[in-house]
Amino acid sequence: MPLPLPLQGLSAIVTGAGRGLGRAEALELARLGAAVVVNDYGQPGRDGSGEACAGPAEEVAAGIRAAGGSALAHTGDVSDFPQARALVELAVAEFGKLDILVNNAGILRDRMVFSMAEEEWDAVLRVHLKGHFNTTRFAAAHWRDRSKRAGEPVFGRIVNTSSEAFLAGSAGQPNYAAAKGGIVGLTTSTALALGKYGVTANAICPRARTRMTEDVFAGVEQPTGSALDPLAPEHVAPLVGYLASPAAAHVNGQLLVVHGGMVAVVERPRVAARFDSKQDTFTYDELDAVLGPYYADRPAGETFAAAEVLGLRRG
């Protein structure tokens, strides 16, 4: 008799799942047994002949159903508060409950900080950071209410999508780096807030070749033949499946980098040095006396950014 699948009987939402990373993640969750709401903003499109055709979200959902799984599409905008509520309500109405939330939806509006338009800043923060908050807010309320009714913790998993742009700093992406850093803060806060209800929240920093990142990785050569592209989204999806599973109950409030057959656990920031004032409070001269020599001895150009993550490769 075959063993039950890891996510059998669980339901999931994956945002931005019509293409790229989200698509691979939705397919992986379904392969592991979850029923999936495939969210991707937009309407059904038209094919090359001009005939109406299903949009990306429905195409992914249809593929899951064709493979024997359970899935439906949602084309709402997760950066819109009421539409995010409707997305969570759809999952609960269709599957009886929500167990897994994978926040992936995002856009890029790259530009140097001195050239960035206000709308380019606002659009990226809205879709990435506010979009993550919106769905998390309604999923969290659902789990809290279920836990209170049951009188015990319930099963809940959140997997958020940050980026190496936040870790390493990305000169041409101040909006994106800021949004992805904010997502890490949202994740750790959510992990602490929801832990007592049985819910975990973790963030991943994936590196993948998708429609959104095609310009970013345009210079990275793709393998020929049957070899899997090191930047294929399929390298990322299994980690999402694991973090969404009962097996990852002890993984909470964590940040992991994933790509090309490699997973790296990022350590939390630690205090590098401490200085105490000899008076009630620091003066300018005293600060100059302690901080001046300290920073003079540090490597030139070193900042809080961890650029070394960009060099991570499978060993």
Side-chain angles (χ1 to χ4, degrees):
M1 186 174 182
L3 294 173
L5 295 170
L7 305 184
Q8 195 71 45
L10 302 178
S11 64
I13 289 171
V14 183
T15 71
R19 301 179 179 89
L21 269 175
R23 176 182 179 275
E25 292 163 353
L27 293 175
E28 177 69 3
L29 296 184
R31 188 187 70 80
L32 295 175
V36 184
V37 179
V38 180
N39 163 265
D40 201 83
Y41 180 49
Q43 299 299 323
R46 295 189 176 277
D47 60 22
S49 65
E51 293 295 321
C53 62
E58 177 53 34
E59 289 176 356
V60 175
I64 291 172
R65 294 192 298 268
S70 179
L72 69 155
H74 178 272
T75 57
D77 179 2
V78 294
S79 71
D80 180 86
F81 202 63
Q83 291 185 55
R85 178 195 291 117
L87 172 58
V88 173
E89 290 175 346
L90 174 64
V92 174
E94 184 70 19
F95 303 124
K97 59 185 172 61
L98 173 66
D99 302 295
I100 301 160
L101 171 63
V102 179
N103 284 310
N104 169 76
I107 61 172
L108 289 179
R109 299 289 186 272
D110 293 352
R111 203 174 300 277
M112 298 297 286
V113 68
F114 43 76
S115 302
M116 182 161 288
E118 181 182 14
E119 56 269 23
E120 292 170 330
W121 173 271
D122 289 347
V124 169
L125 270 289
R126 184 182 70 249
V127 175
H128 287 272
L129 185 52
K130 189 184 178 190
H132 273 60
F133 160 72
N134 286 348
T135 53
T136 297
R137 186 259 183 253
F138 294 111
H142 168 70
W143 288 318
R144 177 177 178 270
D145 291 346
R146 279 177 53 200
S147 179
K148 287 197 165 188
R149 289 197 304 269
E152 60 184 6
V154 297
F155 183 94
R157 298 285 185 269
I158 299 173
V159 182
N160 288 332
T161 306
S162 184
S163 171
E164 292 168 298
F166 148 69
L167 284 171
S170 182
Q173 297 180 303
N175 48 2
Y176 185 70
K180 292 306 190 181
I183 286 168
V184 173
L186 172 64
T187 302
T188 54
S189 174
T190 301
L192 291 174
L194 300 186
K196 64 182 178 181
Y197 301 116
V199 179
T200 68
N202 294 287
I204 63 171
C205 294
R207 191 186 302 178
R209 196 190 310 273
T210 67
R211 189 177 66 159
M212 191 179 84
T213 62
E214 58 186 357
D215 291 337
V216 177
F217 298 121
V220 180
E221 186 177 352
Q222 298 190 46
T224 58
S226 59
L228 183 63
D229 184 353
L231 292 175
E234 287 74 17
H235 288 296
V236 176
L239 177 61
V240 173
Y242 171 74
L243 293 174
S245 75
H250 57 294
V251 185
N252 193 27
Q254 301 298 308
L255 179 65
L256 303 99
V257 176
V258 54
H259 57 81
M262 181 218 73
V263 173
V265 178
V266 179
E267 189 174 23
R268 65 181 176 85
R270 296 185 181 276
V271 176
R274 171 183 160 176
F275 305 96
D276 296 319
S277 173
K278 295 178 180 178
Q279 298 83 232
D280 287 339
T281 187
F282 273 107
T283 64
Y284 172 91
D285 289 337
E286 190 180 14
L287 285 170
D288 185 42
V290 294
L291 292 180
Y294 175 76
Y295 280 107
D297 291 338
R298 297 292 290 267
E302 181 184 78
T303 72
F304 186 76
E308 62 271 18
V309 300
L310 299 179
L312 290 171
R313 297 291 187 277
R314 180 181 179 183

